Amino acid sequence: SFAGDCTVRDVQPPTCTSMLRRAASRGFDASTLPRAAAQATLLQASRGFAAAASEPKDLSAAWASLAAYDSKAAGAFLNGEAAKAKAELGAAGYALAREYVVDHGKSLNFDGTVEVDSFDAANLWLREADGRAILAFRGSDTQKNLANVRSTETCSMYGHRLQAAVAEGEFAPLVALMSAGDFSGCRVLAVTGHSLGGGCASMLAVLMNDKSDPLGFGEARKTVD
């Protein structure tokens, strides 16, 4: 899961003629439908093509999610991709403002082949030009993370019913390192993450936007965009 916002730009849909040719190549015979029905079918397909061809305008939240995979446990490939993502964020004007790290001792890596140091992490990226901030939670990179994600137990925390292993073992230790002041320079706050990180990001968004302030951040708390 990814949390974040993006916009799409307009694209020119294909013509009806090209759509008919494409449909015919896949065995669709428009002549079997009334003209109005055929036009409606082609229009729907054209809109689907336009949506598929559109490109996100702002990929910063996705880059921040990928950049969080900079742990040794994630392996050389993801480490390389994380480095590229950090470069993309830098090019977009973001700088790393804060790092939150929790040591969980030893665990087997994601593939279950090597014992590694297990760290949960979240990174706060800030673009000072417009005050936009992105908080990105790291996804699963160890067997310990995967075990927590796969657990079906639930618990009551922060006034909500949550998945217990993730809330207690992954989310709460990281959030305990955060304070309202960490986000004081943010005009807009987005939270994001992939896999386990997406679950943590969703939890934080709900809790930060909860008017009862279950995290205890007080009047200075930010709401998530």
Side-chain angles (χ1 to χ4, degrees):
S1 300
F2 291 98
D5 64 310
C6 63
T7 56
V8 296
R9 65 186 183 187
D10 292 333
V11 295
Q12 188 67 32
T15 64
C16 285
T17 300
S18 66
M19 287 297 297
L20 281 169
R21 289 172 180 168
R22 188 174 303 171
S25 70
R26 297 178 182 176
F28 172 74
D29 184 3
S31 65
T32 62
L33 295 174
R35 180 175 178 82
Q39 288 177 335
T41 299
L42 291 173
L43 179 59
Q44 183 176 9
S46 175
R47 287 172 176 168
F49 175 86
S54 62
E55 297 178 5
K57 184 177 181 180
D58 184 358
L59 285 172
S60 298
W63 288 127
S65 297
L66 181 54
Y69 283 106
D70 57 356
S71 63
K72 184 177 180 180
F77 174 77
L78 275 179
N79 290 169
E81 295 303 305
K84 294 176 185 176
K86 290 179 181 180
E88 292 286 349
L89 287 167
Y94 287 92
L96 185 60
R98 288 186 181 273
E99 295 179 90
Y100 307 94
V101 180
V102 175
D103 186 347
H104 284 296
K106 297 289 186 179
S107 174
L108 291 177
N109 66 350
F110 189 88
D111 296 330
T113 56
V114 180
E115 187 177 63
V116 294
D117 294 319
S118 179
F119 295 97
D120 284 338
N123 299 326
L124 180 63
W125 296 88
L126 176 64
R127 185 164 61 192
E128 292 189 354
D130 59 2
R132 178 173 169 79
I134 304 172
L135 179 64
F137 288 86
R138 179 181 293 161
S140 301
D141 60 2
T142 67
Q143 288 294 308
K144 186 177 295 184
N145 292 152
L146 289 176
N148 285 340
V149 168
R150 291 166 178 166
S151 173
T152 59
E153 297 296 321
T154 62
C155 67
S156 180
M157 290 180 68
Y158 309 112
H160 295 265
R161 199 72 188 169
L162 304 174
Q163 201 263 30
V166 171
E168 297 173 343
E170 311 281 354
F171 178 78
L174 281 172
V175 173
L177 302 177
M178 303 176 188
S179 68
D182 296 346
F183 310 104
S184 60
C186 311
R187 188 182 64 81
V188 175
L189 175 63
V191 292
T192 186
H194 169 256
S195 183
L196 166 64
C200 289
S202 297
M203 287 187 195
L204 187 73
V206 169
L207 298 176
M208 291 280 274
N209 291 352
D210 188 333
K211 293 181 179 180
S212 68
D213 189 23
L215 297 178
F217 280 179
E219 294 182 359
R221 72 182 175 91
K222 295 285 184 181
T223 55
V224 174
D225 184 37

